[in-house]
Amino acid sequence: MTSLDHEDLGRLMADVARGWAVSSDLDSILRGITETAVSMIPGADSADILVIAERKRFESHAATSDVPEQMDALSAASR
């Protein structure tokens, strides 16, 4: 990804959000978020969405590879 100014980034994020809004499938929306994050963040190789429920249950969602889920499992085990 090239360097973007705030205005360009805002337009890009709005376009991405509109694309997610047409889907009613939560898994597809979350997958779109993680895939977009990997494509927009320089140096990012993978991503997921980690939900921590009641400070003890770790749930990984929409991982773009096995790495984020493995990291989440390590984090959960170290608590």
Side-chain angles (χ1 to χ4, degrees), residues 49-60 75 79:
I49 297 172
L50 175 64
V51 176
I52 303 172
E54 301 169 11
R55 295 186 175 193
K56 58 186 172 195
R57 195 172 69 242
F58 286 53
E59 301 172 4
S60 296
S75 293
R79 295 202 98 227

Side-chain angles (χ1 to χ4, degrees), residues 2-11:
T2 60
S3 177
L4 296 173
D5 65 27
H6 289 354
E7 189 173 309
D8 289 339
L9 181 59
R11 274 195 293 274

Side-chain angles (χ1 to χ4, degrees), residues 18-76:
R18 275 191 289 279
W20 294 331
V22 297
S23 175
S24 61
D25 175 22
L26 180 60
D27 289 332
S28 296
I29 294 169
L30 296 179
R31 174 66 67 172
I33 292 168
T34 55
E35 289 174 352
T36 300
V38 170
S39 71
M40 292 182 67
I41 300 171
D45 295 321
S46 57
D48 77 342
I49 297 172
L50 175 64
V51 176
I52 303 172
E54 301 169 11
R55 295 186 175 193
K56 58 186 172 195
R57 195 172 69 242
F58 286 53
E59 301 172 4
S60 296
H61 300 276
T64 59
S65 75
D66 291 337
V67 173
E69 290 177 333
Q70 292 169 354
M71 298 299 293
D72 294 344
L74 288 172
S75 293

